[in-house]
Amino acid sequence: MRHRSARSRTTTVAVTAALVLAALSPIPGSPTAAAQPAPTAETLRVDLADSTGAFRGGATGILYGLGDPGVPSRDLIAGMKPRTIAQKPPDGEQHPNGDALVVADDLFASGGADVFINSQDIYSAWPYQDLGIDDYLARLRPQLEKVAARPDRDRFVWTIFNEPDWIWYGDWATKKDRFLADWTKVYRTVKSVLPNARIDGPGEASYNPGRLRDFLTYAKANDVLPDIVTWHELSPDSLNHYRAHYDDYRAMEKSLGIGPLPINITEYTNRRDTSVPGQLIQWITMLEDTKVDGQMAYWSLAGNLSDQAVRTGRANGGWWLTKWYADLSGDTVRVTSPKPSTRDTLQGLATLDRGDAEATVLLGGTANPVDVAVTGLDRKTFGGHVDVRVSKTTWSGYEGDAGQPPVVAASRVRVSDGKITVKVPGGDPLAAYQVIVTPAGLAPAPAANAPWTSSHEAESGLVENARVVDQSDPSGWRYTTSGGKDVGYMNNAGSRVTVEVDVPRTGTYRLGVLYGTGGFVGRQALYVDDSHRATLTFPATLNWQYRGRLDTPVQLTAGRHRISLRTSEPTGFLGAPSDVALDRLDLTEVTSPERVTYQLSDSRRTGGSVDRGVRALRALVPNAVVLTPGDAVTTYVSAAEDGYYALSTTWFGAGRGKLGLTLSDRRVAGGDLTTDRAGAWTGTTTVHLKAGVTEVVLSNEGRTPLVLGALTQVRDTAADRLAVRVEAESGQLGGAAATAPGRWASGGSYVGYLGNGGTLTVARPDALREAGQYNLTVAYAQAEKNTGHPYNTDAITRYLDATEAGGGTTRAPYRHNYTWDGFWAETSPLDLTTDGGALTFGNATGWGPNVDWVQLAPLVATTSVTPRR
């Protein structure tokens, strides 16, 4: 059985029903919980008066982070804002996607700077076939000519050798001369076609000072020095040694009389790091500290931002950390951790933006609480009191959706002799935290908004007829598992995991299950206090350890309960799909409809300013952003599900005003908020949002300045009635398209063989016959991939064309989703130009995905503007 084979290299511990409930981890605050000593707080020191230079922002580059146009979404790319990416050359054979010229436009449009081309990825094998330097040069020239034809050719950087310390030139004693000669030939070939091209190197798999000194000495003497120096830092121990490597390299440069040259660590992190905020912050800190760029390694799938992207357009906890990092501005300042250059310990970085009067600290890497000791708070910038907000992003799995990180602590603090201490809660080594310090204003003091939550490791519960599996791995090769263990082998009728919870109030709670499957759709039954509540369906994941997260609502009364996931429901054993690996169960209180507030004063601006001195307005418009005509402010909102949301903001205008709305680079027709006179206003536009992250731009399109407050997003389920869903099998099929039974399809069947002449035509619903802006949601499945690479999953993106009768054709990508019959809902924009033209789905250039259903929703439901009193 594949499950057993996949786990054969891990340590397993048999657990039977003999375990009793007393073996559960104590629940803090519960009647039976043993008193535990409070952990000692660690101190992170931040000196705002000690600048370490301008913020660079280059640490979150990515290797093969972009797969195809639209995969991942531009919203995710722009929010993360990688400065550099590395991709395969035009027509490269190493991977089926990730062509540099195909994905470059998505990067450049999202604020990225450079695309590195791994030119040896023209070869199909890993490691690369060694067919001689002449063969390589013959394959290189067409790459150069294609890039030379682009007007933006100088934004491409050439990685002419990748890990030559073990590929082609491993034995330095016998192959040094060959490498240096080959480097010269390739270098000069690139420059002959692209005289201004930048070349990086040597790009070795680790820091090799002896080889590097030989290389630089030769390169200087022969006028073939790289423009950017590169090497890889892939071991977890790089967290101990990188800074020493950096210092050694800079000293080497100086001794050789070259540089200082820019550095890019073109591969860093391992599987245990990607997607995990508490791990990533340690890497980001040391790269930003040394003002170098870096690219996270490619371990899983191309097009998922090195494991920070969920599906095509959703974010996990790691993405939110990278977004926080991209939001930084101003100068970095001195940060002192308790154990610098020590693996898996508290680390952090901080910036001071004097223009915005804002200090930001990012930290993580420890389970202990942290005292952030801030000094150097200039009274002219911050005044005598400051507002402090502490937000938390934690690990949600590789394929686990995470919303806007909550504020877990907030206060108004008196500044004493330029100093404050910020208390950051502990208990979560996988989390990272953002601390924002701003001058106190007239508005009420900031408040925490994090809901009550508790986490329960599956292996710490009552495990019956299953196994606890040790997934820990000091080498970093395995994917992260919460707590280092999970529960697997849930493969017989009596398998179950039970945890005990103690909830504070009667109401609705969201149960989030971190899990993995072996590439299939899973099912388990949910029981509360031995009463069957639901049978859960788990979307497929890449493998047993590549965690997804499934959220489901649960009604609970105040007090203690036993929550159990089982392989049998009341009607019997669920069979093979029940063999789902369970990692952790999270319980979160739900107190109201989904509601999130985004502080525009923390957001990115094109022009405009944060004016913390508008005292007369701050009572009406707190946390103000001032936009003069033509200015804009950009934020990134997150929706838990596809549906309608009310986006609201307040503003003050000195005369007639017009506030424009753009979603995902799509100017919203009918979404403008306009006023006919001066005053304070509240405006709301209810729009259909895709699940996941959407870039929202508010622009001043009037003639007078606007002073904006926060943006609020509230779920409006009543408006969902405007969307109309159609089962694919009810449409008209053409060509080879055919229906097929599907266990996981909503109507019991789906449509396959779309594309290559196979089509599905759906009539426009009567309620949606008008031309206009719509969102199209397609429930799809497709698992096409190449199978030759030793560790990358060479997933292939399929496309679906929506052709409007009498109108145009819109193409949307559908990413590999691990299975042919488990369906994901994916939403894309669709602008229709006719009244009533039917929609035909197909693919003129290949096969499309299998389709369960399609849904059409008007982009805008309502718009309103009212005076603020």
Side-chain angles (χ1 to χ4, degrees):
M1 184 176 179
R2 288 168 62 192
H3 193 174
R4 297 178 193 273
S5 174
R7 294 177 180 272
S8 63
R9 296 185 301 275
T10 63
T11 301
T12 61
V13 181
V15 182
T16 70
L19 285 177
V20 295
L21 200 57
L24 292 172
S25 296
I27 302 170
S30 70
T32 59
Q36 300 292 325
T40 302
E42 299 182 66
T43 300
L44 187 75
R45 302 188 184 280
V46 178
D47 186 353
L48 298 180
D50 189 357
S51 171
T52 57
F55 171 67
R56 180 161 182 82
T60 52
I62 33 182
L63 173 62
Y64 278 90
L66 279 60
D68 297 283
V71 181
S73 70
R74 283 192 180 182
D75 297 303
L76 289 183
I77 302 169
M80 183 180 185
K81 200 177 179 181
R83 192 173 187 278
T84 66
I85 62 172
Q87 306 285 150
K88 76 174 184 178
D91 305 317
E93 298 178 7
Q94 182 70 198
H95 301 291
N97 52 11
D99 187 306
L101 299 191
V102 172
V103 303
D105 290 345
D106 274 355
L107 178 77
F108 297 152
S110 303
D114 297 324
V115 176
F116 285 53
I117 295 179
N118 283 358
S119 54
Q120 282 179 301
D121 280 8
I122 196 70
Y123 290 101
S124 60
W126 180 258
Y128 309 120
Q129 304 99 304
D130 187 356
L131 305 179
I133 197 64
D134 290 337
D135 180 84
Y136 178 31
L137 289 172
R139 295 170 185 256
L140 176 63
R141 284 188 178 277
Q143 305 174 31
L144 298 170
E145 292 165 358
K146 289 179 180 180
V147 173
R150 290 179 62 111
D152 56 3
R153 64 185 72 88
D154 292 341
R155 299 184 72 173
F156 294 86
V157 179
W158 292 88
T159 301
I160 57 178
F161 289 99
N162 178 35
E163 299 187 339
D165 48 335
W166 76 278
I167 299 176
W168 295 4
Y169 310 98
D171 185 350
W172 196 237
T174 62
K175 295 185 177 180
K176 176 174 72 171
D177 291 344
R178 177 189 164 196
F179 172 71
L180 297 176
D182 288 354
W183 170 273
T184 302
K185 289 179 182 178
V186 178
Y187 183 101
R188 290 176 177 167
T189 299
V190 173
K191 293 290 188 178
S192 70
V193 179
L194 292 164
N196 297 324
R198 287 170 291 160
I199 296 172
D200 74 85
E204 296 190 322
S206 60
Y207 184 73
N208 293 302
R211 293 174 62 116
L212 188 55
R213 179 175 287 275
D214 289 347
F215 166 73
L216 292 173
T217 300
Y218 171 89
K220 180 185 178 185
N222 291 273
D223 196 25
V224 289
L225 276 171
D227 300 281
I228 302 167
V229 172
T230 57
W231 70 86
H232 298 170
E233 297 275 1
L234 293 168
S235 166
D237 285 337
S238 290
L239 295 168
N240 300 331
H241 304 310
Y242 163 74
R243 285 186 175 89
H245 294 164
Y246 171 85
D247 291 341
D248 182 75
Y249 169 71
R250 288 302 190 202
M252 183 188 302
E253 271 188 330
K254 190 173 182 179
S255 72
L256 295 174
I258 62 174
L261 296 173
I263 296 173
N264 192 312
I265 306 302
T266 43
E267 291 188 36
Y268 77 91
T269 66
N270 213 295
R271 286 175 168 174
R272 73 170 202 144
D273 303 307
T274 54
S275 83
V276 186
Q279 297 297 126
L280 288 174
I281 186 60
Q282 300 173 59
W283 295 92
I284 292 171
T285 292
M286 65 186 191
L287 296 180
E288 181 63 39
D289 279 353
T290 51
K291 304 301 180 187
V292 308
D293 293 342
Q295 296 168 356
M296 287 177 275
Y298 167 33
W299 296 116
S300 304
L301 299 94
N304 75 347
L305 300 177
S306 292
D307 295 328
Q308 318 312 319
V310 176
R311 302 190 181 186
T312 298
R314 308 184 190 194
N316 60 28
W319 183 88
W320 285 103
L321 173 63
T322 67
K323 189 263 184 188
W324 284 347
Y325 176 69
D327 287 341
L328 296 176
S329 58
D331 285 355
T332 52
V333 297
R334 186 74 57 196
V335 176
T336 305
S337 66
K339 297 178 180 179
S341 295
T342 304
R343 169 181 169 174
D344 299 342
T345 61
L346 171 64
Q347 305 295 329
L349 71 151
T351 56
L352 172 62
D353 189 325
R354 292 186 182 275
D356 283 358
E358 182 171 287
T360 305
V361 185
L362 304 181
L363 67 143
T366 180
N368 295 325
V370 178
D371 289 343
V372 180
V374 182
T375 60
L377 283 158
D378 184 359
R379 190 176 184 88
K380 292 181 180 179
T381 302
F382 289 96
H385 290 80
V386 292
D387 287 344
V388 179
R389 286 173 285 135
V390 180
S391 300
K392 173 184 177 181
T393 179
T394 191
W395 187 56
S396 59
Y398 296 86
E399 282 284 4
D401 194 8
Q404 166 84 351
V407 177
V408 295
S411 61
R412 180 161 290 168
V413 181
R414 181 177 178 274
V415 180
S416 177
D417 193 25
K419 302 175 183 178
I420 62 170
T421 297
V422 180
K423 302 287 187 181
V424 176
D428 189 351
L430 304 182
Y433 299 85
Q434 177 197 56
V435 178
I436 293 180
V437 182
T438 57
L442 296 178
N449 61 15
W452 179 92
T453 187
S454 65
S455 293
H456 309 268
E457 295 293 341
E459 67 273 12
S460 297
L462 176 62
V463 179
E464 302 175 75
N465 298 300
R467 292 184 183 180
V468 172
V469 182
D470 187 349
Q471 301 287 2
S472 59
D473 178 16
S475 74
W477 181 250
R478 291 183 191 157
Y479 293 107
T480 283
T481 298
S482 179
K485 299 177 182 179
D486 65 9
V487 176
Y489 300 87
M490 301 275 291
N491 51 20
N492 66 63
S495 300
R496 63 179 67 179
V497 171
T498 304
V499 299
E500 187 172 324
V501 302
D502 192 355
V503 301
R505 286 166 289 277
T506 297
T508 302
Y509 292 81
R510 182 175 64 251
L511 176 66
V513 182
L514 275 173
Y515 72 95
T517 78
F520 58 84
V521 177
R523 295 192 84 200
Q524 288 187 355
L526 170 64
Y527 285 75
V528 177
D529 300 328
D530 293 322
S531 173
H532 179 255
R533 293 290 186 90
T535 297
L536 307 181
T537 300
F538 295 83
T541 63
L542 175 64
N543 56 47
W544 301 106
Q545 289 79 38
Y546 198 79
R547 298 290 182 244
R549 197 190 72 229
L550 178 68
D551 291 334
T552 190
V554 179
Q555 298 294 321
L556 298 174
T557 57
R560 299 171 68 87
H561 297 278
R562 299 173 73 245
I563 294 180
S564 183
L565 290 172
R566 306 179 182 182
T567 56
S568 294
E569 59 184 354
T571 57
F573 182 37
L574 292 168
S578 67
D579 196 4
V580 175
L582 299 177
D583 188 355
R584 191 182 74 210
L585 283 69
D586 299 328
L587 203 61
T588 303
E589 187 176 19
V590 179
T591 57
S592 63
E594 183 185 349
R595 179 187 182 94
V596 186
T597 298
Y598 304 88
Q599 298 296 338
L600 296 181
S601 55
D602 300 337
S603 301
R604 304 173 196 174
R605 302 186 308 277
T606 303
S609 62
V610 174
D611 191 340
R612 305 191 189 278
V614 188
R615 298 182 62 84
L617 297 178
R618 290 200 70 191
L620 291 173
V621 188
N623 303 306
V625 170
V626 180
L627 299 182
T628 59
D631 294 342
V633 61
T634 300
T635 192
Y636 295 86
V637 305
S638 180
E641 57 187 346
D642 296 289
Y644 284 92
Y645 291 79
L647 301 179
S648 302
T649 190
T650 58
W651 72 92
F652 178 86
R656 294 185 179 215
K658 182 179 179 181
L659 190 63
L661 175 64
T662 300
L663 303 176
S664 303
D665 292 326
R666 186 186 192 192
R667 186 67 169 80
V668 178
D672 294 340
L673 302 175
T674 60
T675 59
D676 59 2
R677 62 186 185 278
W681 306 88
T682 296
T684 301
T685 302
T686 299
V687 293
H688 188 271
L689 295 180
K690 63 185 179 185
V693 173
T694 296
E695 182 186 74
V696 176
V697 178
L698 298 174
S699 53
N700 184 353
E701 300 181 7
R703 297 183 178 180
T704 59
L706 299 177
V707 182
L708 272 67
L711 178 71
T712 301
Q713 168 195 345
V714 181
R715 182 75 168 96
D716 184 354
T717 54
D720 287 349
R721 68 185 185 280
L722 299 176
V724 178
R725 179 180 298 184
V726 177
E727 291 291 335
E729 62 270 23
S730 69
Q732 179 181 343
L733 305 185
T739 60
R743 181 175 183 180
W744 312 116
S746 62
S749 59
Y750 61 88
V751 173
Y753 296 104
L754 292 172
N756 289 319
T759 61
L760 163 67
T761 300
V762 176
R764 292 261 288 279
D766 291 340
L768 303 177
R769 297 186 67 82
E770 292 185 5
Q773 292 180 308
Y774 292 85
N775 274 354
L776 171 69
T777 304
V778 176
Y780 81 97
Q782 74 93 359
E784 184 179 0
K785 63 180 180 180
N786 288 352
T787 57
H789 200 275
Y791 58 86
N792 292 132
T793 300
D794 280 336
I796 294 174
T797 298
R798 289 192 172 190
Y799 289 84
L800 203 60
D801 300 326
T803 300
E804 178 187 10
T809 297
T810 302
R811 167 163 281 208
Y814 294 89
R815 201 205 86 175
H816 175 102
N817 78 332
Y818 312 124
T819 177
W820 289 105
D821 61 355
F823 297 91
W824 287 359
E826 191 65 45
T827 296
S828 58
L830 183 64
D831 295 338
L832 300 178
T833 58
T834 70
D835 290 337
L839 298 177
T840 297
F841 299 94
N843 185 341
T845 61
W847 289 113
N850 296 333
V851 175
D852 183 12
W853 51 262
V854 298
Q855 176 181 279
L856 202 60
L859 179 60
V860 177
T862 61
T863 299
S864 66
V865 177
T866 57
R868 190 145 184 251
R869 309 199 183 270

